[in-house]
Every structure is written in structure tokens, then in C-alpha cells.
Amino acid sequence: MKHVPLLINGEFKNSDATQHIDVTNPANNEVIAQAPCATEDEISQAIASAKTAFETWKDVPVTERARLMMRYQALLKEHQKDIAETLAQETGKTFDDAMGDVWRGIEVVEQAMNVPSLMMGETAENVARGIDTYSYTQPLGVCAGITPFNFPAMIPLWMFPLAIACGNTFVLKPSEQDPLTPVRLAELFKEAGAPDGVLNVIHGGKEQVEPLLTHPDIKAVSFVGSVPVGQHIYRTATAHMKRAQCFAGAKNHTVIMPDANKEHVLNNLVGASVGAAGQRCMAISVAVFVGEAQQWIPELAERIKAVKPGPWDQKESAYGPVISPQAKERVLRLIDSGKQQGATCLVDGSDFTVEGYENGNWIGPTVFSDVTDEMDIYKEEIFGPVLSIMNADSLDDALTLVNNNPYGNGTSIFTSNGAAARKYQHEVTVGQVGINIPIPVPLPFFSFTGWKNSFFGDLHAYGKQAIRFYSETKTITSRWLEDDIPGGPNMTISLG
């Protein structure tokens, strides 16, 4: 049995933990590794290691920190395929999806390579007579990251490269459901030349998270996961005087106007709704068809019905299983609730298996029409391959529906009318908006900007906001009096 190691002070080591969590292959639920629930002492060691490393790392020139990220980026590209294979086996993602997961993380590391320009301060000369004011951007100290199962490469890479490039050190607690990928990322980071203690990795569940939220040496906490956990982490971390950014649930709508390009809409909605088994916080889970566009619903259902899930290493697999039997049970419960509460099930994937993988967590693509905002399949984040279809008479009606939803992670509109697109992007109360693009995830030189119950905090992930989150501004006002200089300002300095 493979035991997932901890990383403490530059050393990959087996834990002394008495409790372990099985890491399974979701395609067949076979155990492929065991992750330790790190002991209290091991967590303290990881934090202490990061604190000690910070004393020297914060003084490493910013250009050297950027070069570490350059080396790391090169190693991630070199090993992208083997990282993706590990990722696919422990998450169930198809190989192409896993490759994309790694690549989006690499793009954030590329942003971290730009850290010298991102950390520049500001200067104003002569704010008063003979007085100048300028600011520096300096690191915070030890930061922590708590990451989810659905993107075990991308989301850790959202966090620790940017934090460390800013001069901080980091303690990562990845998801206990797929920790092999984050450990591989840490191995390559060490190979790139990261000093001991700059990055530490611990494993476990809620019990291992709590010390990261309360320990006085942790200065900032980043989290991605569910709403209840995100709220708990935000409240606990801030109550202990820490910075916190918590990315939580989503219910992403796309609005289809009747003047949209029909083929473009249908082709994009298939992958955006059921791709990655719907286990994306930016997945389109609600499609709102406006007016005559409702005529396209039967054809959309037929196209989604043709999508076939399968194991990660088969090219014809459109997506993989959901992460666990518990996740499957939850999705099936919500599908059943949709049927019981009056929605029309156009495509039913609740009784789906893959030959040779009958024990896997499979759910076929599922589509409901005639969904209302009072149904559980609308109110809850399903996190499975389920699309809910709703109707609206006008763009204003669609906007009201979207804006009344408690989540605000992502949304999109399909239209050929520029005025309609501008009205939607201006009035919608959602943080990330796509126009004729189904999943509007920004590239890392912008920031990932969920709103409402999709995000708790002030500064978002990656981009310039992440640099602000992982740093502090020091403002200096200086005055040099010429009368204090021996010989005055024209003095001659001897270099002999």
C-alpha cells in the first residue's frame, strides 16, 4: 500500500499518524493509497518550519524568487503528462481533462514569474517641500492553503507559487481524496530549488484544518470548497485576526437569447454542463432559454444524451465518475427530487454503469426541463452531470432570475446583440461573465472573482488581487536636511 508522505522542512516523511484515509480510484473504488491524518506535533512542526524559513526567504531578492518560479514552470511542463496520469487515476478525470487541470496551474506559475513587476510600490516626489513619499510591498509571513478534490493541480498552484513568490512561506493541506497530485507538485517544487521549509504539506481532514485557522504564526488562509466549510473557515480565521479568502459554492446560469448562433450554443452547452462530471465550480448547471430559443431544448437534450462517460485512459470517454460513493448518492438523491417535485427528466443518467467498472461512481448525463426556482435541483449545488433548463420571456426576466440566486460565481449569455450583451454584463450580480463563452474562467493576469455566497473575503485568487492578498504595503515619508550634511550638499566625498 502506497503511503502518502508529509513534507516538513524539506523532507518527505511518513507520518506517525494512527488514523489514515483511503485514497481510491473513483472508476472502480479500489484503494490506491492511504493519506495520514497528520498529528498535532507534525502540524506544529510544519508551521514552525515555515516560520523559520520565512526569516531568510523574505530577504531573498525578488528576481531570485522569480527565477525559482521559472525553473518550476519548466519542470511542470516537462512532467505535465505524468502529473496528469496520477491526477486522472485519483480523480477519475479523463486524461485530456487532467492535462487541462495541470495546464491551468502552470499558467498561474507563469504569472508568479512576473512577481518583480507585480510587487512594485509607488513613489511621489515633493509631497511637501523637500519631502518624498514612497511605498514598498512586503510579504506577510506564513500562509496556509486548503484545497478541494476537483482540481488537485490547478488550485494548489493558484495558491502557493504566488504566495511564495511574494516572499511568504506556505503550509498546504490538500484534499484527502486526491493528495497524490499535490505531493507530486511539491516534489517538483523542491527539485526546482525551493529552500527547505518554504513549502510544507500536511494531510488529513477537519481536525487537521483547525490548527491552520487558529495558530498565531499563520497570517493568511486561502480556501476553495463548499459553502458551509467556507463560511466556517472564514469566520474562524478572521476571528483569529488572519486574512482569509474563501471560494465556495456556485449555481452558474447561462442565458440563451433567440438571436444567438444555435450551433455554437448547443456545442458549448454540452461540455459546459456535463464535462468533468459537472464537478467544476464554474460548470453551467442552469440554462435559461429566452423566447423562441426554447425550441432548441429537445435538440440540446439529444446531444447531451449522446455523451458517454468512461475511464480516464479511453479516448472515447467524455468524462469520468464522480469522486466518491457519497458524492454519487447525493447527486442521485437530487435527481430523484427533481422527478418528485415536478421537473421533466428529458435525459436520465441515474442508472448508468460502465462495463468492467461496475463498482465505480458513475452517473450518466442528466437533463431536466420545466425547472422552477423552488425545486431542490435549482436551489442546491448538485456538483454532478446534471443540467437544469428554465424558461424566460425576456432578458429582463432572465436577469431577475440570475440576480435572485444566492450564488454569484460565473454566468454567461449567448447572443448576437451587442446591446443585450452589454446590458447583461452591466446588470448581472455575478463576478465572472462570459459573452458567447460558456465558462468564463479568467486567465491568471486577471483575478478569479466570485460574488455573493460564492466567495467570502475581500481579495480574490491569482492576478493582481492575489499579490495584494499575500502582501502588505509599507509607506515611507522621508526628508533629508541639507544642513545635516557635513560640508553641505556640494561636499566632496573621498573614495581613497
Side-chain angles (χ1 to χ4, degrees), residues 31 39 116 155 248 266 291 344 401 464:
V31 178
T39 67
I155 295 180
L266 299 183
T344 302
L401 175 68
K464 293 178 181 178

Coordinates of all heavy atoms in Angstrom, one line a residue, residues 31 39 116 155 248 266 291 344 401 464:
V31 N -8.7 0.9 -3.6 CA -7.8 1.8 -2.8 C -6.4 1.8 -3.5 O -5.9 0.7 -3.7 CB -7.7 1.3 -1.3 CG1 -6.7 2.1 -0.5 CG2 -9.1 1.3 -0.7
T39 N -0.5 14.3 12.8 CA -0.6 14.5 14.2 C -0.5 16.0 14.5 O 0.0 16.8 13.8 CB 0.5 13.8 15.0 OG1 1.8 14.3 14.6 CG2 0.5 12.3 14.6
P116 N 8.4 40.4 -9.9 CA 9.1 41.7 -9.7 C 8.3 42.9 -10.1 O 8.2 43.9 -9.3 CB 10.4 41.6 -10.5 CG 10.6 40.1 -10.6 CD 9.3 39.5 -10.7
I155 N -5.7 24.2 -8.3 CA -6.0 25.1 -7.2 C -4.8 25.2 -6.2 O -4.5 26.3 -5.8 CB -7.3 24.7 -6.5 CG1 -8.4 24.9 -7.5 CG2 -7.5 25.5 -5.3 CD1 -9.8 24.6 -7.0
A248 N -16.4 29.4 -2.5 CA -17.3 28.4 -2.0 C -18.2 28.0 -3.2 O -17.8 27.8 -4.3 CB -18.2 29.0 -0.9
L266 N -25.4 25.1 -28.7 CA -25.6 23.7 -28.4 C -24.3 23.0 -28.2 O -24.1 22.2 -27.3 CB -26.4 23.0 -29.5 CG -27.8 23.5 -29.7 CD1 -28.6 22.7 -30.7 CD2 -28.6 23.6 -28.4
G291 N -37.5 33.1 -24.9 CA -38.4 33.2 -26.0 C -38.3 32.1 -27.0 O -38.3 30.9 -26.6
T344 N -39.4 17.9 -15.6 CA -39.4 16.9 -16.6 C -38.0 16.4 -16.9 O -37.1 17.1 -17.3 CB -40.0 17.5 -17.9 OG1 -41.3 18.0 -17.7 CG2 -40.1 16.5 -19.0
L401 N -34.0 36.4 -12.6 CA -33.8 35.0 -12.1 C -32.3 34.9 -11.6 O -32.1 34.4 -10.5 CB -34.1 34.0 -13.2 CG -33.8 32.6 -12.9 CD1 -34.7 32.0 -11.8 CD2 -33.9 31.7 -14.1
K464 N -3.6 40.3 -9.9 CA -3.1 41.3 -9.0 C -3.7 41.3 -7.6 O -3.0 41.6 -6.6 CB -3.3 42.7 -9.6 CG -2.6 43.0 -10.9 CD -2.9 44.3 -11.5 CE -2.1 44.6 -12.8 NZ -2.5 45.9 -13.4

